Amino acid sequence: MVFDLRGALLKKAEIESARLDDFEFRLRARTMRLLAPLLGVQVEDLVARIAVESDEAILATLPDTARAWYDEARIEARRQLIEERGDPTPHKLA
């Protein structure tokens, strides 16, 4: 029986990419969910925009103060997600 190192690395890359993409999407959604009340807008309206717009495009349409609030919301969202789901740092092969 031969160990397929290439196959193992490809599978690891696929799993890690999916895990990191999932974390990034959850981070964007959580950030907007935390930002919406600060801006006085509906959470659903702001969160729905992440499917079709980048964060920068969304921020460009919001008041100037939104940038500072966005940065704070992103830090808090990341803290919450790491507490709930664990650190998103890629796992190394042992």
Side-chain angles (χ1 to χ4, degrees), residues 41-59:
V41 298
Q42 292 292 321
V43 172
E44 296 82 13
D45 296 338
L46 197 54
V47 172
R49 293 177 64 184
I50 67 172
V52 293
E53 297 178 68
S54 69
D55 288 359
E56 293 301 322
I58 294 170
L59 288 173

Side-chain angles (χ1 to χ4, degrees), residues 2-93:
V2 178
F3 179 72
D4 182 13
L5 180 60
R6 180 179 178 279
L9 290 174
L10 289 173
K11 183 171 178 115
K12 179 189 180 304
E14 181 179 322
I15 291 169
E16 290 296 318
S17 293
R19 191 176 64 81
L20 293 173
D21 287 345
D22 177 67
F23 187 88
E24 181 61 29
F25 178 79
R26 288 174 187 271
L27 179 61
R28 289 185 70 212
R30 178 83 51 108
T31 299
M32 294 303 169
R33 192 180 81 199
L34 293 172
L35 184 60
L38 297 173
L39 297 170
V41 298
Q42 292 292 321
V43 172
E44 296 82 13
D45 296 338
L46 197 54
V47 172
R49 293 177 64 184
I50 67 172
V52 293
E53 297 178 68
S54 69
D55 288 359
E56 293 301 322
I58 294 170
L59 288 173
T61 64
L62 299 174
D64 293 336
T65 56
R67 184 61 191 192
W69 289 340
Y70 170 83
D71 292 338
E72 291 175 16
R74 188 161 175 94
I75 290 168
E76 176 60 19
R78 183 173 178 80
R79 186 197 64 73
Q80 288 177 8
L81 284 171
I82 288 174
E83 184 177 301
E84 291 171 16
R85 303 184 64 80
D87 192 351
T89 305
H91 302 297
K92 296 184 179 188
L93 286 177

